[in-house]
Amino acid sequence: MRKASPGLSEKQLGAYFALAEVSSLLQYAVAEHLRIDGDLSYVQFQVLARLVDAPGGKLRMTDLADGVVYSRSGLTYQARLLDQRGLITRSPSPDDERSVMVAVTDAGRDLVAQVLPGHVDRVRQLLFEQLTSDDVIVLHKVLGRARDHMRAAPPRSAKPRARRNRTG
Amino acid sequence: MRKASPGLSEKQLGAYFALAEVSSLLQYAVAEHLRIDGDLSYVQFQVLARLVDAPGGKLRMTDLADGVVYSRSGLTYQARLLDQRGLITRSPSPDDERSVMVAVTDAGRDLVAQVLPGHVDRVRQLLFEQLTSDDVIVLHKVLGRARDHMRAAPPRSAKPRARRNRTG
DNA sequence: TATTGTTATACTCTATAACTATA
DNA sequence: TATAGTTATAGAGTATAACAATA
């Protein structure tokens, strides 16, 4: 592992491991806070956050599934939980009657607003506290580029149906 | 979310979201490969990788739990699975008879060696393919600093017992 | 008393397949 | 036929609490 691998340089391996560990620690800390402070799982928070961010506070189920969870049924499960708590509503799309539009409710927005400061606080303490603003800019630039690249390739909610050749 | 938050700047939020999405996409892709190629979950691979990396190929259960999983019982569960497949062994520590030393077997090393090239390949394709070597160096430096900071704080396997003041 | 690890148990989450309905 | 979503179901994983054993 630590020795020079055939595919990745020492530097690359180090960067990869650092990324993996940082995101793991960060996600764990943040998830703990969300649970305590808002009784939300990380996935549920992501769903709400995406909706708050979306124009009109609305998104189709499939778009949500692509962004957050990796199966339609998984999102249906989470959406039911959020629906039962009154944090979102689900209604048939006027454009396409097959689609379901998910919308944040006021209660959902309130909960996000309630949870966000503490969330942001943890992130700042853990990740940004001793990063310079140059670090942040570079991080944003480099990871943003990686994200765009990675977004381009993968299907996801489509995969269970489109059944592509499995490598193994 | 996208508006200026009280705690994080626009740049910081962007960096945070990019980090979250990159690591999520990366982990998903890598986990899929590990499952197909070696019938290993991501956690199981991490356990094996840490052992391969450790001096003598051995670590205590608690040290493994701190590094990988977040509860002792969770690690016991994973360790049993790996043990049953002959990838690790568990034996009482000679130093402290309460402790259990976990050691990779040859089969475990072989499996890591078998899986690693494809793993590394995916990481390179998804993450490094269009990053410059300067990007990688900066990423390593910045994330490494963040990791060291985050490592300093958290308990984890200790938490369930040492029961510290909960923030919420 | 504190620490290490296991076990029993309950719960959350995710994915697969089968199904309905619309395009 | 293809797409959108739900449901039933089964499996993996995790955490909590209670436990035994050692320091």
Side-chain angles (χ1 to χ4, degrees):
Chain A
M1 296 289 302
R2 189 119 313 157
K3 311 180 191 80
S5 279
L8 295 181
S9 70
E10 188 84 10
K11 284 282 180 199
Q12 286 175 325
L13 262 188
Y16 168 53
F17 286 141
L19 173 69
E21 189 163 353
V22 163
S23 61
S24 166
L25 290 170
L26 192 60
Q27 185 170 338
Y28 180 74
V30 157
E32 186 188 29
H33 164 260
L34 290 172
R35 173 75 63 195
I36 293 170
D37 210 41
D39 194 25
L40 288 172
S41 72
Y42 192 68
V43 170
Q44 289 165 357
F45 174 73
Q46 282 183 296
V47 168
L48 291 180
R50 286 195 182 245
L51 288 173
V52 168
D53 239 18
K58 294 186 176 189
L59 284 173
R60 292 191 318 147
M61 287 290 284
T62 296
D63 298 331
L64 270 176
D66 278 348
V68 175
V69 173
Y70 298 111
S71 72
R72 295 157 201 268
S73 60
L75 179 60
T76 298
Y77 170 79
Q78 295 294 344
R80 182 166 52 240
L81 296 182
L82 294 173
D83 198 343
Q84 286 169 350
R85 290 175 61 182
L87 303 174
I88 65 170
T89 60
R90 288 178 288 175
S91 49
S93 163
D95 302 334
D96 182 339
E97 295 221 351
R98 294 172 303 182
S99 295
V100 168
M101 295 302 293
V102 182
V104 222
T105 63
D106 288 345
R109 289 184 190 274
D110 288 350
L111 183 56
V112 171
Q114 170 198 317
V115 154
L116 199 54
H119 180 110
V120 156
D121 223 58
R122 283 229 169 173
V123 173
R124 189 182 51 235
Q125 283 173 16
L126 288 172
L127 182 62
F128 292 118
E129 196 146 70
Q130 85 285 43
L131 261 49
T132 71
S133 54
D134 276 357
D135 290 342
V136 175
I137 289 172
V138 174
L139 212 58
H140 187 188
K141 190 193 71 174
V142 171
L143 291 178
R145 185 141 29 95
R147 180 196 52 201
D148 294 342
H149 174 59
M150 293 168 75
R151 267 184 185 163
R156 264 176 304 179
S157 78
K159 198 191 58 177
R161 313 226 169 160
R163 186 71 56 156
R164 64 197 55 238
N165 300 340
R166 296 230 156 191
T167 324
Chain B
M1 296 291 301
R2 188 116 315 155
K3 312 183 191 79
S5 279
L8 295 181
S9 71
E10 188 83 10
K11 284 282 180 200
Q12 286 175 325
L13 261 187
Y16 168 51
F17 286 141
L19 173 69
E21 189 164 352
V22 163
S23 60
S24 166
L25 290 170
L26 192 60
Q27 185 170 338
Y28 181 74
V30 156
E32 186 187 29
H33 163 260
L34 290 171
R35 174 73 64 194
I36 293 170
D37 210 41
D39 194 26
L40 287 173
S41 72
Y42 192 69
V43 169
Q44 289 165 358
F45 174 73
Q46 282 183 296
V47 168
L48 291 180
R50 286 195 182 245
L51 288 172
V52 168
D53 240 18
K58 295 185 176 192
L59 285 173
R60 294 191 317 148
M61 287 290 285
T62 296
D63 298 331
L64 268 177
D66 278 347
V68 176
V69 173
Y70 299 112
S71 72
R72 296 157 201 268
S73 60
L75 180 60
T76 298
Y77 170 79
Q78 295 294 344
R80 180 166 51 241
L81 295 182
L82 295 173
D83 197 343
Q84 284 168 352
R85 289 175 62 182
L87 303 174
I88 64 170
T89 61
R90 289 177 288 175
S91 49
S93 164
D95 303 333
D96 182 339
E97 296 220 352
R98 295 172 302 181
S99 296
V100 168
M101 294 302 292
V102 182
V104 223
T105 63
D106 288 345
R109 288 184 191 275
D110 288 350
L111 184 55
V112 170
Q114 171 198 317
V115 154
L116 200 53
H119 180 111
V120 156
D121 223 57
R122 283 230 169 173
V123 173
R124 189 182 53 233
Q125 284 173 16
L126 288 172
L127 182 61
F128 292 119
E129 196 145 72
Q130 84 285 43
L131 261 48
T132 70
S133 55
D134 276 357
D135 290 341
V136 175
I137 290 171
V138 173
L139 213 57
H140 188 188
K141 191 193 69 175
V142 171
L143 290 178
R145 185 141 29 95
R147 180 196 52 203
D148 294 341
H149 174 59
M150 293 168 75
R151 266 185 185 160
R156 263 175 303 178
S157 78
K159 197 191 58 176
R161 313 228 168 160
R163 188 70 57 157
R164 63 197 54 238
N165 300 342
R166 298 230 155 188
T167 324

